[in-house]
Amino acid sequence: MANHMTEALVSLWDEWYLPALIFTSLFLQLFLLVFASSRKRTRGWNIKLLWLAYLLSDKVPGLAITAILAHSICKCQSSSNDDLMLFWLPLLLVHIAGPDTVTAFSLEDNQLWLRHLFGFFQFAPVVFLFIQSRPFDEMIRIPTSFLLFAGIIKYFERTCSLYLASASSLRDSLLTEPDPGSNYAKLMDVYFSQKMAGLPTQIVMLPEPDRVVKAANRFKELGTLTDLQVVQYAYHYFVTFKGLVVDLIFSLRERNQSRDFFLTRSAEDAFKIVEAELNFFYEVLFTKLPVVYYTLRYFCQRCFCFIAFITSFVYFYYMDKKSFEGLNVGVTYTLLIGAITVDVMAFIMLVLSDRTVVALHKSPDQQKNSSTQSRSSRILSWFLRIMTKTIKLSCFGFSSTLMSGRWAETMSTYNLIYHCLNKSSNNRKPIFDFALLDKFWYADRIRFNSTLRNFIFTELKVKSLMADDLETANEICSAKGEWALKIENYGRTELLPFVVDVDYDECLLLWHIATDLCYNDAKDEPLNNDYRDISKLISDYMLYLLVMEPDMMAAVSGIGLIRFRDTCAEATRFLDDKQVKLKKSWTNSCCSRKVDLEVLHQACENILAVNTEVPPLTVKGDKSKSIFFDAAILAKTLRKLPQKDINNEKVDKWFIISKVWVELLSFAATHIRSDSHAQQLSKGGELITIVWLLMAHFGLGHQFQINEGHARAKLIVEK
């Protein structure tokens, strides 16, 4: 009986392992086509699931092709079913080419475009076997030829997308034509000859007409932007500032035009434009869409592929299939219908994209006919409103929000004192590294709100108004709180030592702990809760980036992780000594805990009760990088700050703390590598990336270093 069972299992495996691979491959194609674009709006385990599907989408069809080739080579005689298996090969090659919605999962994938190109040659046996299979049924040979060409086209479309999105190719494509300037030698010959003839001669520079002022006046008349105008301006500035992701330098003229436009916008409109602009960046770097956008060449290629799928389906439908096994016929129909479905869905997504809206409607700056503009604008604005409605899809436990915001609109937060209280309460060493465990255990996600958006926008706008020249702009971008502390000398003498000549990671940890100590002061009565909540939210968000996203923050973190671990060790030891325990009560989620606020207040009071008359560095030395009690000193200083009237508004310590946090956020935004910002676009997006691009539009950054260069010399000869 055991032998019979083994034979049955072997027979079942022989019959179903290849169809199972093919069905899995097709499922992965449809799954990625529908859900891949959601990774710019989701975070957490959804990204891991998409990453797994992305890896398998290459491996599974490759295994199926290998199995078919092995089966065909090992067979001494060819049968009709073997011919039908060869018919599947080009369709599996289409699967390896992948859907339009994902070409690269990370920026590193784009750099491997050459490897992907050479990977095509592993399918040379497919072409060889197809040519050499003399008994191959002629009725199958014809549609297979069409499908083979379609598979090759699809494969090279993905390779081309990877190449165009690679850093070197993208940088080369954005470089302008060399400009030799005025013909100096010829001009000087004429100048010298006229001067030798005794004629009064001079060379004057004719500046370019001041178009920026005219543009600024036009922008002021726009008012609140419609959904259509948001997408149009987003695409305009995307084309202008596309070089940001490869660290290109921009001219002062580009800076002034962008700055004047965003200074006249509201916070809501500015953030909408930047979010839509980042969506265009995402499409260029991680999808196949830029390759297929409205060019005649790729339009013809897509038409050929679709016609090949339809023709092959019709061929197979009308041919005699009596010699084929029923399972193989079903697999063939599934592959053909799947290929047609993927192509149709990809076309629909292309039509519904922002790029289509831009292609159908001219920029507002170029429109002449106001009546036509009004009619077409209403239609496209209605279309965009429909597209931004929230639609939720779920598949096998995987949920995705489609057609909603252009990024996750959440901020991950992490709190040092809460982390140390949990370690003190657990009183045991974690099995895994803290960064791996804590990212899913203690980190939390909070919805990005309009109050925080308006505050950040206002702060950046004020700094942009002060940055009339590049020197001032660079000074503002290099500030870690100094500018906020110079507001009418508000707390300047007491607080400047905590931001000046202090490493960024140390400054961030100091202000994070101090903010938390002030926030959990039971006796604190803030004049404005908005400043208090904003300070707390940015504080926890920046610590999350420092500790949980070290690759992204590498340019500014320094020894941040070492300093964080030492600080946590000292805080945990202190809480153990004081026997402060966090009472935990489980909620519905196994990874969330309800904080006992009384215990948290008690912990903060114990920390502030420590006598800090002697600086910690004097007592401990510099072996330990902990700044735990240095932060306590800062918190005590902040609590002593008096209330004050600034611009007819009565403010307290939270006013200055919130402004310092915006500067710490903007400092990191402008100093993080541009490719690190770009990488976050495929992980749900980050607020710091939006701030980075918004600061660039406000003219705050280090990428503006070129004079306008549009003036021209003119030789004037007086008679």
Side-chain angles (χ1 to χ4, degrees), residues 488-491 523-528 637-646 649-656:
E488 299 185 10
N489 294 325
Y490 185 69
K523 299 179 181 179
D524 182 43
E525 296 181 358
L527 295 175
N528 190 326
T637 307
L638 288 169
R639 294 176 71 179
K640 294 178 182 177
L641 289 179
Q643 296 179 5
K644 191 172 183 179
D645 289 326
I646 297 181
E649 179 185 5
K650 202 171 190 62
V651 297
D652 56 4
K653 60 180 177 294
W654 293 110
F655 174 81
I656 196 66

Side-chain angles (χ1 to χ4, degrees), residues 412-414 419 434-440 442-443 542-553 561 564:
S412 296
T413 58
Y414 188 84
H419 165 78
F434 78 95
L436 176 62
L437 180 65
D438 293 355
K439 190 168 186 176
F440 303 103
Y442 300 122
M542 293 307 298
L543 186 68
Y544 171 85
L545 294 179
L546 180 71
V547 178
M548 299 302 170
E549 299 291 344
D551 293 338
M552 182 182 186
M553 298 286 285
L561 290 180
F564 173 80

